[in-house]
Amino acid sequence: MKITVAFAFLALILTLLIQSLFASEPRDISTRYVNEEILKDPAFLKDYFTISNISISSFENVFIKNITERRATTYLKERKSPQKATRNLGGLDINQILDYASKAWEFIKKNEPVQNFKNFYANALPKGVSSGNDLNSWSAPKSKGYKIVFENTLGMSVVSFHYHLIYQYGGQTANGKGRYLDGVHFAPTDIEVMWGFTFDCNVEVPSIVNAGTATDPIAQMMIELQYSIKSLLKVITNTVSFSVRGDGVVTKLN
C-alpha cells in the first residue's frame, strides 16, 4: 500500500512538472529561445531587432591562444617565400616602410569566415626587400584575443564574435637596424549569430609609419576591422582600429 501511494505521489509530481514545462504562459524571452508565436508579436520583433549595446573587449584563453599561435606558425611558414636573405639589397631604405602583402580583404561573410582568410596578411618592411625572409631576429607569432558582442533591447546577445589579432615583430636588417612587422592578420575563434541577423567583416590597413628614428626605425601599422550587422530594421556599420608596432606593442585605438 505504501509503495502504491509513493508511486501515485511520484506520478503527480511528474505530471505537474510536465505541465509547467509545456504551459501556455509566455516563455522567458531573455533566453536564446525564439518560437513562432513570439515572432508574431510586432512589439517583440521591434525590440528583438533593435541593437541597444555594442561592447568590445579583450579576452584571454591560454589554451586557445596557444593553439592559435601554433597554427599561425605553420601557415605563416608555408606562405612565405622559400628564398632567404641572399638578394642584392643595395637599394635598401630602412626609413621607408611598406606593406608588401595585402592591404584589404574580406574576413567574415554572411556569418562565416571566408574560406581563404589564412592567405591574407599585412606586413611592414623596409623598402628594398621582397619578404620577411630578407630580415632576421623575428619573434614567434604572437596573438591577442578580442570579442565584439551585440545586444538587443531585450538584453539578448544576438551576435557574439571572438577573434585573435596575430603578428610577428622585431625583424631587423643584417646589420641589426630597425624593428619591422610581418604576418599581421586576424583569425576567427568563435562566432554566434541569432536568427534574422547577418554579420560581415572586412580588414583594411590604412597606414604604416615610422614610430622610431631615422637610424633605428620602428614600424607602426594601423589595422582595422570594418564590420556590419544587418537585420530587418537596420544596418549598423563600425570600425575597430588597432596599432601594431615593430617592438611588439599592440594598442586598441577605439
Side-chain angles (χ1 to χ4, degrees):
M1 181 64 179
K2 291 182 180 180
I3 296 177
T4 303
V5 173
F7 274 110
F9 179 74
L10 180 60
L12 177 60
I13 294 299
L14 290 175
T15 301
L16 292 174
L17 179 61
I18 293 172
Q19 287 177 350
S20 66
L21 290 174
F22 292 94
S24 58
E25 293 297 321
R27 293 180 183 271
D28 180 3
I29 56 178
S30 64
T31 67
R32 287 184 171 274
Y33 184 85
V34 180
N35 63 20
E36 294 181 1
E37 292 302 320
I38 289 178
L39 293 177
K40 294 177 183 179
D41 183 354
F44 170 82
L45 287 176
K46 181 180 179 181
D47 290 339
Y48 177 80
F49 285 117
T50 299
I51 301 298
S52 61
N53 184 57
I54 303 173
S55 63
I56 304 171
S57 59
S58 60
F59 78 95
E60 188 68 38
N61 184 310
V62 176
F63 178 72
I64 295 177
K65 177 182 174 69
N66 290 340
I67 291 178
T68 301
E69 292 177 357
R70 283 201 299 269
R71 288 176 177 172
T73 300
T74 300
Y75 60 73
L76 283 174
K77 285 181 179 179
E78 291 175 350
R79 69 191 180 192
K80 283 186 179 180
S81 168
Q83 296 175 298
K84 300 299 180 182
T86 56
R87 299 178 179 84
N88 179 9
L89 301 181
L92 181 67
D93 184 350
I94 63 173
N95 290 309
Q96 192 167 351
I97 305 174
L98 305 174
D99 183 356
Y100 287 93
S102 304
K103 296 176 175 63
W105 61 93
E106 287 185 327
F107 184 36
I108 305 294
K109 189 172 184 179
K110 294 182 178 179
N111 306 334
E112 297 285 345
V114 297
Q115 290 185 351
N116 60 343
F117 77 88
K118 293 180 181 179
N119 297 334
F120 298 98
Y121 66 101
N123 56 28
L125 306 175
K127 182 180 179 181
V129 305
S130 296
S131 79
N133 286 330
D134 291 331
L135 304 179
N136 307 304
S137 303
W138 287 109
S139 72
K142 302 297 181 182
S143 70
K144 289 185 176 294
Y146 299 90
K147 62 180 178 180
I148 305 176
V149 178
F150 299 82
E151 292 185 353
N152 63 14
T153 305
L154 301 170
M156 306 166 73
S157 297
V158 294
V159 176
S160 177
F161 177 45
H162 293 63
Y163 59 94
H164 275 80
L165 171 59
I166 301 172
Y167 56 98
Q168 286 183 276
Y169 68 92
Q172 295 183 317
T173 61
N175 58 357
K177 293 295 184 179
R179 279 169 284 181
Y180 300 95
L181 293 165
D182 201 9
V184 184
H185 66 289
F186 293 99
T189 303
D190 182 61
I191 181 169
E192 295 181 1
V193 182
M194 291 192 65
W195 174 88
F197 292 89
T198 302
F199 182 69
D200 297 299
C201 190
N202 297 325
V203 180
E204 186 173 341
V205 179
S207 67
I208 294 175
V209 299
N210 179 9
T213 65
T215 56
D216 194 14
I218 299 175
Q220 179 173 300
M221 174 189 297
M222 179 183 288
I223 186 168
E224 297 179 339
L225 274 181
Q226 302 171 345
Y227 63 82
S228 68
I229 178 172
K230 303 174 184 177
S231 70
L232 297 177
L233 298 183
K234 195 174 184 180
V235 177
I236 297 175
T237 60
N238 208 340
T239 300
V240 186
S241 303
F242 299 88
S243 168
V244 186
R245 290 170 43 121
D247 57 3
V249 177
V250 175
T251 307
K252 187 172 79 67
L253 301 177
N254 61 345

